Amino acid sequence: MENKYCHQSCDPAAQKMLKRAEELNIETVWDRYAAQEPQCGFGQLGLCCRVCSMGPCRVDPFGDGPQKGVCGAGADTIVARNLVRTAAAGASSHVDHGYEYIQALKKAAQGEIPYPIKDEGKLKAIAAKLGLSAEGKTKEELALAIAEIAAQDFANTGEEPMKWVTASAPAERVEAWKKLGVAPRNPDRDIRSALSQTNIGTDADPVNMLLTAVRMGLVDAYGGLHLTTDLQDIIFGTPTPVASEANLGVLKEDKVNIVVHGHVPLMSEKLVEWANKLNDKAIVAGAAGIQLAGICCSGNEILMRQGVPIATNFLSQELAIATGVVDAIVVDIQCIMPSLTTVAECFHTKVITTMPIAKIPGATHVDFNLEEADAKAQEIIELAIANYRNRDKSKVHIPQEKTSFLGGFSVEAIVGALAKVNAEDPLKPLVDNIAAGNILGAAALVGCNTVKLTQDSVHVGLAKELLKNNVLIVSTGCAAQALAKAGLMNPAATEQYAGEGLKAVLTAVGQAAGLNAPLPPVLHMGSCVDNSRIADLLSALAGYLKVNVKDLPIAASAPEFMSEKAIAIGTWAVAMGILTHLGPTPQVLGSPIVTGVLTDKVEELLGGKFIVEADPVKAAATIINHIIDKRQKLGLTVPQA
Ligand code: SF4
Ligand code: MSK
């Protein structure tokens, strides 16, 4: 549908809600972006330094103005310093999330909190990868031992890598990182050291700082993503394929709608439990029941394990409230716009914050904690039910768009589906089809939305181009939500978008797995922390083929990234040896050295590098050429042009 909103979002539900917001005079992220333009050119190039109070200093990239900050730092130093600090901040978010789970697992194992250990299989698998024997131990004892190893990683004062690194990453990668001196030792200490290194008057060498940026990517990956996914699966269960729906049409006019937003499922899992328990109370209040829906990664977590539908992704979070039917939006941490309370003022919606580090003026704060998790979850659901009667029916405006899709593709679920084709050797069908050229390669589409690009357009455009060329896609985060909303995660999408080779493989696996339909061409692997699952899948494939991850015909892409976390994750992908595409330009172009290393030289050291391209068709062409190049180097067939 061509309309004046299609430059802001390619999601038709978001377009309708943008029109609605304009009618109601509601300010959105797009309006505030327009008001910010033109944004600061120095900042965009990474050339603004606020590291000390002699600044802020700016370096003139065109040569006429100052070439150095007050302390003498030049463009390369300033850009590298900013990049390290961005990656450190991104890593700290995921590490903080992971740390919550060390506490949670310990308390769960000691019976101090109402979270049973659900997944004994995963518990044993994680114990095995950490070298712990499960023999003679109760599941609680084993969980406690795992929590202790995780805690030891945070107490490591030596130079050896974290246990979570050596247990999770391919040995060849660990050796490469050790050789470069970037293997993470202790997340807290490494982040502290990165901040110290980039203080005024410490490091001025951009290349030395870029090595620290790589270390921040690895801290993010192993002290954050892997640790978190592993422990979350132990507590809540490893996802299995589940049918659900995506987009604002999942909200119901006749139900109490509770939208969950953020990243840490300790609270949202409890909300699912209590929404079920209190459904009758909502009926007594005059509603037809309770409808839960998710935004961002808390949404992805309860989708993956519970099938809870997706309301929308990052950029359109305000628009969910503008439907007028959200009785409560319950948030934890990360990616929550402070503007939610302003939008909520136009409606009856209660914005409920739940974490001590994430409060918003104007929100209702419920002090969620693990010990009182049940009571707090009950309190939140009851607040939402009580608020239902305050809904103004004249303001209800729900777009009808929603798509059906399949989620829940953990590595275990993917291997399980492949095992239906070959029980003895589950990876063989996948590898054989890659070798034969039916599957050209694979790409991971991950990351956020940004207001700088039309919402979802690069995710969807890139995915369609890759699928047409027989590239299998795995996805997480808001990228996955974009692709679910666009209808790329259901069996019909395989028919419609996959090239002939890919379609045949997905159809055969889907039939063998008893779906009576093809597997979707884009597999939803979870939240942002679940990028660890993608790495595990690639490591397993590389191990099977006896090659290094950097030699596989694969690529990663964060087509619409915006978060500091995405910078850390992208750096890790490069450190894994993966070509990593970014849609928006990162704030580094002010330094020829930093730009040159990230887009070229780093490949010699680590096997991966960044490419930047906002046009999805051009980005797809580069990724496909890269995949073909890798196939050639592996001696695999290449398709005729
Ligand atoms: Fe300016 Fe140097 Fe201070 Fe940065 S560290 S603000 S460049 S004086
Ligand atoms: S939520 S980090 S906007 S993907 Fe994980 Fe989405 Fe990016 Fe937040």
Side-chain angles (χ1 to χ4, degrees):
M1 183 172 61
E2 220 14 66
N3 58 49
K4 67 185 256 207
Y5 307 100
C6 64
H7 298 294
Q8 294 168 304
S9 176
C10 76
D11 169 357
Q15 290 169 7
K16 285 181 185 167
M17 292 312 299
L18 277 163
K19 181 167 183 288
R20 177 70 175 158
E22 190 172 285
E23 285 161 7
L24 296 177
N25 217 8
I26 292 169
E27 182 189 271
T28 67
V29 62
W30 287 274
D31 301 318
R32 292 188 297 274
Y33 177 59
Q36 286 285 337
E37 287 202 285
Q39 287 183 311
C40 171
F42 294 98
Q44 297 211 21
L45 297 172
L47 288 170
C48 172
C49 182
R50 291 177 47 251
V51 159
C52 87
S53 57
M54 294 197 290
C57 299
R58 309 182 305 187
V59 167
D60 183 348
F62 305 113
D64 297 333
Q67 295 301 298
K68 288 191 164 41
V70 174
C71 68
D76 295 315
T77 300
I78 290 174
V79 170
R81 228 163 28 188
N82 286 340
L83 181 68
V84 170
R85 289 189 161 218
T86 301
S92 70
S93 300
H94 286 137
V95 168
D96 217 26
H97 181 165
Y99 194 77
E100 293 256 345
Y101 276 88
I102 301 177
Q103 303 294 331
L105 188 64
K106 199 168 150 208
K107 288 179 181 179
Q110 291 170 333
E112 292 170 5
I113 55 173
Y115 291 84
I117 289 159
K118 278 205 186 138
D119 194 336
E120 225 173 317
K122 190 70 173 231
L123 181 79
K124 287 186 180 149
I126 301 299
K129 89 169 185 179
L130 292 167
L132 280 173
S133 163
E135 223 173 289
K137 291 194 183 83
T138 64
K139 65 176 178 177
E140 287 75 19
E141 285 166 348
L142 197 54
L144 198 57
I146 289 172
E148 268 159 19
I149 290 189
Q152 281 162 17
D153 269 346
F154 281 73
N156 180 17
T157 54
E159 291 308 309
E160 69 280 12
M162 292 169 61
K163 289 230 168 53
W164 234 271
V165 174
T166 46
S168 310
E172 167 275 328
R173 284 290 86 183
V174 179
E175 279 316 304
W177 301 333
K178 273 163 73 175
K179 219 160 120 196
L180 274 180
V182 298
R185 305 155 297 184
N186 162 342
D188 288 350
R189 174 180 156 207
D190 287 337
I191 291 170
R192 181 192 70 215
S193 168
L195 294 179
S196 161
Q197 183 180 358
T198 52
N199 207 334
I200 175 170
T202 306
D203 205 349
D205 179 347
V207 175
N208 200 35
M209 282 189 275
L210 285 174
L211 290 173
T212 299
V214 173
R215 197 201 291 269
M216 290 301 99
L218 298 174
V219 165
D220 185 288
Y222 300 98
L225 314 184
H226 271 89
L227 181 77
T228 305
T229 302
D230 290 346
L231 303 194
Q232 286 185 169
D233 278 358
I234 290 172
I235 296 176
F236 298 126
T238 304
T240 53
V242 63
S244 193
E245 293 179 324
N247 218 338
L248 291 170
V250 304
L251 299 175
K252 304 270 182 349
E253 189 165 358
D254 59 351
K255 288 194 174 178
V256 173
N257 291 294
I258 302 172
V259 174
V260 178
H261 178 14
H263 280 79
V264 184
L266 283 164
M267 187 261 301
S268 46
E269 279 280 340
K270 276 288 169 195
L271 289 189
V272 179
E273 187 182 328
W274 280 93
N276 287 331
K277 285 182 181 161
L278 296 176
N279 198 54
D280 287 348
K281 214 163 178 172
I283 293 170
V284 172
I290 297 174
Q291 178 65 55
L292 278 177
I295 297 178
C296 285
C297 287
S298 285
N300 278 326
E301 297 283 1
I302 51 176
L303 155 79
M304 291 287 284
R305 297 190 182 87
Q306 310 281 356
V308 172
I310 295 297
T312 193
N313 53 355
F314 170 76
L315 207 57
S316 38
Q317 57 185 277
E318 295 162 307
L319 301 179
I321 297 179
T323 59
V325 294
V326 177
D327 301 297
I329 177 161
V330 191
V331 305
D332 50 76
I333 54 167
Q334 302 170 18
C335 303
I336 300 144
M337 292 187 193
S339 58
L340 290 186
T341 48
T342 312
V343 181
E345 278 170 15
C346 306
F347 302 91
H348 74 301
T349 305
K350 257 191 196 315
V351 179
I352 301 177
T353 54
T354 56
M355 302 287 270
I357 62 161
K359 297 185 179 179
I360 306 175
T364 303
H365 188 72
V366 174
D367 174 26
F368 184 85
N369 62 79
L370 297 180
E371 286 74 10
E372 299 177 289
D374 284 310
K376 297 292 178 179
Q378 182 172 1
E379 181 183 341
I380 291 168
I381 301 285
E382 284 179 348
L383 277 171
I385 294 172
N387 200 27
Y388 174 72
R389 66 167 178 268
N390 297 324
R391 202 186 280 178
D392 179 347
K393 289 203 165 58
S394 71
K395 287 191 176 168
V396 171
H397 189 93
I398 311 175
Q400 291 312 301
E401 280 78 8
K402 61 177 178 181
T403 51
S404 303
F405 74 102
L406 286 179
F409 288 98
S410 57
V411 176
E412 292 83 343
I414 294 171
V415 172
L418 292 169
K420 297 279 169 31
V421 181
N422 186 335
E424 255 96 79
D425 199 356
L427 289 181
K428 190 170 187 297
L430 185 59
V431 167
D432 284 352
N433 278 296
I434 293 172
N438 296 326
I439 299 175
L440 187 71
L445 263 59
V446 306
C448 326
N449 292 133
T450 170
V451 73
K452 294 184 174 180
L453 298 169
T454 304
Q455 183 190 17
D456 297 350
S457 66
V458 195
H459 291 302
V460 176
L462 179 57
K464 286 181 179 172
E465 279 299 307
L466 293 175
L467 292 178
K468 199 164 77 184
N469 287 282
N470 297 306
V471 176
L472 177 67
I473 297 175
V474 292
S475 188
T476 58
C478 288
Q481 295 175 328
L483 300 175
K485 285 191 291 172
L488 292 173
M489 286 188 176
N490 53 43
T494 304
E495 297 288 347
Q496 196 175 347
Y497 299 109
E500 289 309 316
L502 182 60
K503 195 186 295 182
V505 178
L506 293 170
T507 304
V509 178
Q511 294 298 352
L515 284 181
N516 261 340
L519 269 192
V522 181
L523 301 178
H524 193 324
M525 292 193 74
S527 62
C528 296
V529 298
D530 292 335
N531 284 318
S532 61
R533 299 192 199 277
I534 297 177
D536 285 345
L537 185 61
L538 296 178
S539 303
L541 268 180
Y544 186 94
L545 285 166
K546 299 193 175 46
V547 299
N548 294 331
V549 170
K550 69 182 169 60
D551 300 321
L552 292 173
I554 55 168
S557 172
E560 301 178 23
F561 89 92
M562 64 86 204
S563 167
E564 290 165 321
K565 293 175 285 173
I567 293 287
I569 295 174
T571 310
W572 165 49
V574 168
M576 283 293 287
I578 301 170
L579 179 83
T580 301
H581 161 248
L582 302 174
T585 308
Q587 293 162 353
V588 299
L589 291 191
S591 164
I593 291 182
V594 173
T595 307
V597 170
L598 295 179
T599 58
D600 181 18
K601 291 271 177 262
V602 67
E603 197 173 13
E604 288 163 29
L605 294 175
L606 289 163
K609 66 175 180 179
F610 285 105
I611 55 165
V612 179
E613 176 56 68
D615 180 321
V617 176
K618 287 185 190 158
T622 308
I623 288 172
I624 289 162
N625 283 338
H626 168 79
I627 286 174
I628 289 173
D629 183 49
K630 291 289 175 185
R631 289 184 68 90
Q632 273 166 339
K633 287 185 176 139
L634 283 172
L636 302 178
T637 56
V638 292
Q640 299 308 310

